[in-house]
Amino acid sequence: MSIASWVIRRMVRRRLRQVAETLCDPAGTQERLLLDLVGRAARTEWGREHEYGAIRTVRDFQQAVPITRYEDMAPLWERSLAGEADLSWPGRIRYFATSSGTTTGITKLLPVSRDTVRANVRAGAQLMGLCERQAPGLDTSAGRTLYFGGSTRLKRNGACWQGDSSGIMAAHLPRVAWLHRLPERSVAAMSNWEQKVETICRRYQDSPVRTIAGLPIWSLILLRRLIDVAREH
C-alpha cells in the first residue's frame, strides 16, 4: 500500500467513527448542526433580520424563520453575484450551481460557499470509506474512480463562477485526486450527456475502474451502454 493510500485510509476511518457516533443520536446531531449553522450565520444580513443571535432551540428557529421560497431569496443571490458579502452566509459567495429546474422547469442558481465545498469533500471521503467497509479487500487506490457528473466547465457570472455542481467540486479537487480519477478533463468538460456516455464507454472500457460515483439514472444508462459496447467486441 502506498503512503497516499495509507493516509487516505486513516482519514476515512476517522470520518467513519464520527458517522457512527452521529447514528447513535441522529436527532441530537441534527439539532447541534442546525444551531452551529445558525450561530455562524448570525452576523449576516439574513441572520440579523431573523434574529439568529437569539435562537437557542429548534423551536426558536421555526418561529423566527418563515418557510421561504427560492424567489424570496433570489434578490440576495443577485447581490451575491454582484460581489456583496455576508448576506446569508459569512464571506463572499464565489460559486453558483445551476439546477436542472426539476420542480418548476426554470433553471435556478444555488449559492455554493467554501464551507459547502469542504462539506462535500468530507462526504466524498465518507462514501469511499463505506465502499471499503462493504468490500474489505477492495483497494480503491490501486485503480481509478469514475466520476460521472455534469460538465466541469464553469463560466463567469458577475463576480462569481457558475456551472454544474460537480464542476464546482472538480475545481477544488486536490491534484492527487486527479491521478486516480476518470474521465480526463476534456471528457469531464462535455455538457452533452449522450456524447459523454459514448466517449467514456469506448475510451475507458479496459481501464482499471474500482468505483463509480455519479447520478444514479445516468450511471445506469452508462453501465447498460458499456455492456452493449463490450458485446460489440
Side-chain angles (χ1 to χ4, degrees):
M1 181 185 301
S2 67
I3 295 178
S5 298
W6 182 83
V7 172
I8 292 172
R9 286 194 174 189
R10 292 274 294 185
M11 293 173 61
V12 165
R13 287 172 183 169
R14 179 183 177 186
R15 181 62 180 160
L16 288 179
R17 285 197 297 271
Q18 294 172 342
V19 171
E21 294 170 1
T22 296
L23 293 176
C24 292
D25 182 21
T29 298
Q30 291 181 50
E31 180 171 1
R32 287 191 294 273
L33 177 59
L34 171 65
L35 296 178
D36 176 64
L37 295 174
V38 166
R40 294 168 68 183
R43 295 187 180 182
T44 63
E45 181 176 313
W46 178 265
R48 293 194 301 272
E49 180 180 341
H50 294 88
E51 300 183 346
Y52 273 17
I55 293 176
R56 297 291 182 271
T57 66
V58 173
R59 184 171 180 80
D60 290 345
F61 179 82
Q62 293 170 333
Q63 293 177 338
V65 184
I67 296 175
T68 306
R69 302 175 304 165
Y70 175 84
E71 291 76 13
D72 300 323
M73 302 297 295
L76 287 182
W77 305 158
E78 292 173 2
R79 290 166 59 191
S80 291
L81 287 167
E84 288 192 52
D86 302 322
L87 296 176
S88 59
W89 190 251
R92 279 184 53 194
I93 300 297
R94 298 184 181 276
Y95 297 91
F96 274 82
T98 305
S99 79
S100 59
T102 305
T103 55
T104 63
I106 301 174
T107 298
K108 302 173 183 177
L109 296 180
L110 308 175
V112 178
S113 68
R114 292 176 178 174
D115 293 295
T116 302
V117 172
R118 294 190 188 100
N120 275 275
V121 171
R122 289 196 296 270
Q126 175 183 329
L127 289 173
M128 294 302 290
L130 291 173
C131 283
E132 295 202 4
R133 173 174 287 182
Q134 293 296 321
L138 176 67
D139 183 2
T140 56
S141 64
R144 301 290 189 94
T145 295
L146 176 63
Y147 291 88
F148 189 49
S151 173
T152 56
R153 186 175 291 114
L154 305 178
K155 66 178 182 179
R156 197 73 181 178
N157 186 344
C160 305
W161 290 96
Q162 171 188 331
D164 191 275
S165 59
S166 57
I168 295 172
M169 294 304 116
H172 292 83
L173 282 177
R175 291 183 179 180
V176 66
W178 280 98
L179 297 176
H180 298 278
R181 173 191 171 107
L182 288 177
E184 59 198 84
R185 293 177 188 268
S186 60
V187 178
M190 291 180 176
S191 57
N192 184 298
W193 283 97
E194 288 80 6
Q195 180 185 9
K196 182 176 286 188
V197 167
E198 196 67 20
T199 302
I200 289 174
C201 288
R202 296 192 177 278
R203 187 174 298 187
Y204 306 120
Q205 61 177 305
D206 295 323
S207 298
V209 173
R210 293 291 188 273
T211 53
I212 298 177
L215 297 172
I217 182 62
W218 278 103
S219 296
L220 180 60
I221 292 172
L222 173 70
L223 292 173
R224 285 175 173 169
R225 181 56 186 151
L226 183 60
I227 292 172
D228 292 338
V229 171
R231 285 173 176 168
E232 293 174 6
H233 298 274

